[in-house]
């Protein structure tokens, strides 16, 4: 994370506003672009990616690589700050991304962090479980 003060441009603030309005949701750069254009903002894709990279570097936004097809998704950190309060689960049938409360897998995380398992600590911002969602199982 950078220690320098963020340069606050109009586009940076507009992108951050879209992410804040969709707090708890994962958005691609394309979805952010669509929202901004719907709101009447004239902005290029390169500017969006550049500003998103800066927001991630500053620690205001999380970046997730869900898979090679979907590309990167971005999420405003909001209340949970730098630490993700959940783990991501992706449905292999419909592609839906579901949040699994981190507390629900805390025992497994503690076991992994123990000396017996090599002291491995999960990075929940990059952890993805695959399976079938409730709707697709129904």
């Amino acid at each position: 994370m950078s220690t320098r003060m963020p340069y606050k441009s109009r586009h940076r603030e507009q992108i951050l506003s879209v992410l804040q309005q969709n707090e708890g949701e994962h958005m691609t750069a394309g979805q952010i672009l669509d929202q901004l254009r719907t709101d009447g903002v004239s902005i290029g894709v390169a500017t969006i990616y550049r500003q998103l990279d800066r927001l991630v570097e500053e620690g205001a936004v999380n970046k997730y690589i869900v898979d090679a097809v979907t590309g990167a998704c971005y999420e405003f950190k909001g209340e949970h700050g730098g630490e993700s309060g959940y783990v991501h689960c992706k449905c292999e049938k419909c592609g839906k991304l579901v949040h699994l409360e981190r507390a629900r897998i805390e025992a497994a995380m503690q076991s992994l962090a123990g000396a017996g398992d090599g002291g491995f600590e999960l990075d929940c911002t990059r952890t993805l479980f695959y399976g079938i969602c409730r709707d697709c199982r129904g």
Side-chain angles (χ1 to χ4, degrees), residues 101-133:
E101 291 292 326
R102 182 178 170 158
R104 297 183 75 179
I105 63 163
E106 195 66 37
M109 291 175 64
Q110 288 177 358
S111 176
L112 281 171
D117 290 321
F120 193 84
E121 185 175 325
L122 285 181
D123 177 357
C124 288
T125 64
R126 298 182 59 185
T127 303
L128 182 67
F129 292 112
Y130 289 91
I132 307 298
C133 74

Side-chain angles (χ1 to χ4, degrees), residues 24 47 59 76:
T47 300
F76 178 68

Side-chain angles (χ1 to χ4, degrees), residues 26-93:
H26 302 91
M27 298 185 76
T28 64
Q31 291 170 318
I32 295 168
L33 175 65
D34 291 344
Q35 180 64 51
L36 288 169
R37 288 191 174 162
T38 297
D39 295 344
V41 176
S42 177
I43 189 170
V45 175
T47 300
I48 289 178
Y49 279 110
R50 186 172 49 255
Q51 293 298 328
L52 285 170
D53 285 344
R54 288 179 182 156
L55 288 165
V56 169
E57 184 181 313
E58 293 166 11
V61 171
N62 280 329
K63 178 179 180 178
Y64 302 99
I65 307 289
V66 178
D67 57 39
V69 177
T70 307
C73 293
Y74 301 86
E75 176 189 32
F76 178 68
K77 285 188 177 179
E79 293 294 317
H80 60 270
E83 187 171 319
S84 182
Y86 48 83
V87 175
H88 297 91
C89 302
K90 183 171 182 176
C91 179
E92 294 176 296
K93 286 191 175 184

